[in-house]
Amino acid sequence: MNLYLPKQVILATLLTTFLYSCSKGKSSPEEPTITPTPEETLREKYSKSSAQWPVAEWYKNIEIRELAALPKNPSNDKVELIALGKALFFDPRTGNGLKTCASCHNPDTYWIDQKTTADGIALHHRNTPSMENVWYLEGNLFHDGRAKTYREQIAEAINSPIEMGGNTSSLSSKLMSIPGYVDLYESAYNNKNMTIEGLLDAIAAYSRSINSGQTAFDRFVQGEYKALNDQQLEGLHLFRTKGKCINCHNGPYFTDLDFHNLGYAVTNKGALDNGRFESSKLEIDKGKFRTPGLRNISNTAPYMHNGSIATLSELVNLLSQGMPQKTDQQINGILSPHIQNLRLSSKEQENIIIFLSSLSSEPIKTERPILP
Ligand code: HEC
Ligand code: HEC
């Protein structure tokens, strides 16, 4: 009973204060009594399914595709076919005996060579792209999308005098004389009669089997809302809003699979690289390249189709200023209207770069095959 009275007193005091403030609120509207509900924090806004995230800043006429978790690779090739393709991928005899596919697409370094431009039989004018998730690129292979099929793309790599210097018209007869290859071929196709198409399809099957792994970003999208730290979360928001990156880098692989001119279409010899124009012959395609995916982007420097940009900070700084040209650099074609002066602060640029690091996965260890 002793405690009862003071409680009553407290309640009475609270009630008086409440009534007083209400009446005060009525007489002077400039002092509102209802405190507004605090705004959701950025983390609260993103701790939801991606369909409920804050609206992204899309340019007009862009097909809206939200960022998404890594999907399952739908390729369903026979293991024996993949095994034949893997042997060919690591075998210098697939080319002229000097280079293998893995000389440039090195599995220990995220399937790249870490060089500005590839170092083949001769010096290449383009940077080596990763092999991860290439199944997704069928129809648009190479930086300019000129190869529609794997057969086309792989035959070019083998025959190219700046890549492997090989010869697809004699490859099957050359390999038929190696009993181990006849066995591998027979397991893959139930047939000893090697054809070049059969060999190219095996390399394609192996290529399609190469994936990137799970990332912090994937865990975040799947509901583990602590998987991104505060800076990464800020970066994700900037990537979708002020940075405008999502307009081209979208979907589960962070690419629209479309072609854009970012103004750096030059070769390592300083000549203009026509990009998409080379295969389409359309004037509007001059200097356009396919939007690259961004998974494991922190692990695959240098950047761009020509490896001309060494670091992510250099690139994001240029993007922030609308890709200004370097001294003496000429622009080939017309800069994309979606590349603009965004004026991202250095802190904002840093947050975007730290967000990009959440797209990294552990390298998947690849055993070298025993060659026949
Ligand atoms: C000398 C280094 C080198 C060798 C050897 C090489 N590649 Fe490449 N690869 C490249 C370069 C450079 C490109 C980009 C060329 C371009 O866009 O014009 C590329 C592109 C590709 C692509 C397209 C990826 C994309 O993002 O569009 C695939 C797939 C590929 N190579 C697989 C292979 C296979 C399979 C072999 C072996 C038969 C091979 N490469 C041999 C350097 C090499
Ligand atoms: C207009 C479309 C577009 C926009 C907007 C855009 N990009 Fe890109 N991005 C591309 C294209 C196309 C390339 C390849 C250009 C080349 O190879 O010359 C590229 C290249 C890159 C690369 C190098 C990838 C590699 O493997 O070499 C990174 C990283 C990148 N962009 C990040 C971003 C970020 C971060 C933003 C936002 C600040 C952004 N991009 C905005 C289209 C775009």
Side-chain angles (χ1 to χ4, degrees):
M1 282 306 263
N2 261 0
L3 294 169
Y4 187 64
L5 234 144
K7 235 191 203 168
Q8 248 187 349
V9 172
I10 292 165
L11 277 174
T13 319
L14 281 176
L15 193 66
T16 323
T17 322
F18 176 66
L19 288 174
Y20 170 73
S21 59
C22 281
S23 64
K24 221 185 140 197
K26 256 183 211 150
S27 59
S28 47
E30 66 278 7
E31 283 176 61
T33 51
I34 304 152
T35 39
T37 42
E39 239 219 276
E40 269 187 309
T41 61
L42 194 63
R43 188 162 293 278
E44 284 161 349
K45 287 180 186 164
Y46 275 90
S47 295
K48 298 173 183 179
S49 99
S50 60
Q52 295 166 296
W53 283 353
V55 187
E57 292 182 23
W58 299 98
Y59 287 116
K60 258 196 212 120
N61 303 326
I62 301 266
E63 190 195 329
I64 293 177
R65 281 166 82 236
E66 192 45 79
L67 306 175
L70 183 71
K72 200 176 167 299
N73 183 337
S75 313
N76 192 17
D77 295 296
K78 201 173 151 187
V79 285
E80 292 83 357
L81 186 66
I82 294 175
L84 169 63
K86 185 173 180 179
L88 294 165
F89 191 91
F90 286 92
D91 194 334
R93 291 169 295 184
T94 302
N96 73 355
L98 293 172
K99 296 278 175 184
T100 70
C101 307
S103 319
C104 300
H105 303 283
N106 179 353
D108 302 332
T109 50
Y110 294 90
W111 305 91
I112 62 157
D113 48 14
Q114 303 179 317
K115 302 201 161 102
T116 302
T117 56
D119 190 4
I121 300 299
L123 187 64
H124 210 290
H125 56 292
R126 298 236 171 117
N127 174 262
T128 305
S130 170
M131 293 292 293
E132 287 184 345
N133 312 318
V134 287
W135 68 267
Y136 183 67
L137 300 175
E138 184 146 27
N140 294 289
L141 291 153
F142 288 130
H143 289 295
D144 48 16
R146 69 184 178 281
K148 298 278 164 275
T149 64
Y150 278 107
R151 281 189 186 175
E152 243 178 276
Q153 182 269 309
I154 296 164
E156 185 178 326
I158 295 173
N159 293 327
S160 163
I162 55 172
E163 287 192 16
M164 297 173 77
N167 185 351
T168 47
S169 40
S170 57
L171 187 61
S172 52
S173 55
K174 177 164 102 183
L175 298 180
M176 282 246 256
S177 67
I178 304 167
Y181 267 119
V182 179
D183 294 345
L184 279 173
Y185 198 91
E186 198 178 5
S187 316
Y189 290 108
N190 303 319
N191 182 341
K192 281 185 203 225
N193 270 329
M194 250 184 229
T195 64
I196 184 61
E197 289 79 13
L199 295 170
L200 295 175
D201 290 349
I203 302 176
Y206 178 61
S207 302
R208 275 196 298 265
S209 75
I210 300 166
N211 301 309
S212 63
Q214 239 227 358
T215 65
F217 172 77
D218 296 318
R219 288 188 279 116
F220 184 85
V221 175
Q222 286 158 345
E224 207 185 294
Y225 296 123
K226 290 200 172 99
L228 298 189
N229 65 29
D230 290 348
Q231 266 190 294
Q232 289 169 328
L233 194 64
E234 292 279 348
L236 164 62
H237 186 58
L238 288 162
F239 189 94
R240 298 178 66 253
T241 54
K242 186 177 174 186
K244 309 285 196 295
C245 320
I246 195 172
N247 283 278
C248 302
H249 297 280
N250 50 39
Y253 296 100
F254 295 73
T255 163
D256 56 1
L257 287 184
D258 209 341
F259 302 85
H260 307 275
N261 188 332
L262 261 59
Y264 274 56
V266 283
T267 67
N268 45 10
K269 296 187 182 77
L272 296 178
D273 186 330
N274 285 325
R276 182 86 178 135
F277 172 85
E278 290 296 345
S279 55
S280 76
K281 300 291 172 210
L282 297 172
E283 203 55 36
I284 51 156
D285 283 340
K286 270 210 176 133
K288 283 189 184 174
F289 291 91
R290 192 190 63 215
T291 310
L294 298 180
R295 286 183 175 271
N296 273 320
I297 195 68
S298 310
N299 301 312
T300 52
Y303 303 105
M304 312 297 266
H305 67 279
N306 51 10
S308 62
I309 296 178
T311 63
L312 285 176
S313 38
E314 196 185 326
L315 177 54
V316 174
N317 187 36
L318 286 168
L319 281 164
S320 169
Q321 302 171 63
M323 302 299 288
Q325 298 296 298
K326 290 183 187 170
T327 327
D328 299 333
Q329 186 174 294
Q330 200 186 333
I331 189 163
N332 189 9
I334 301 161
L335 184 70
S336 162
H338 297 148
I339 294 297
Q340 296 182 1
N341 191 348
L342 305 164
R343 297 189 176 82
L344 296 165
S345 70
S346 51
K347 187 74 202 158
E348 288 171 331
Q349 294 180 27
E350 188 188 317
N351 289 345
I352 290 178
I353 294 162
I354 294 180
F355 162 64
L356 294 177
S357 74
S358 77
L359 307 179
S360 299
S361 55
E362 290 296 314
I364 296 164
K365 181 112 189 69
T366 304
E367 298 289 336
R368 301 299 192 273
I370 297 161
L371 297 180

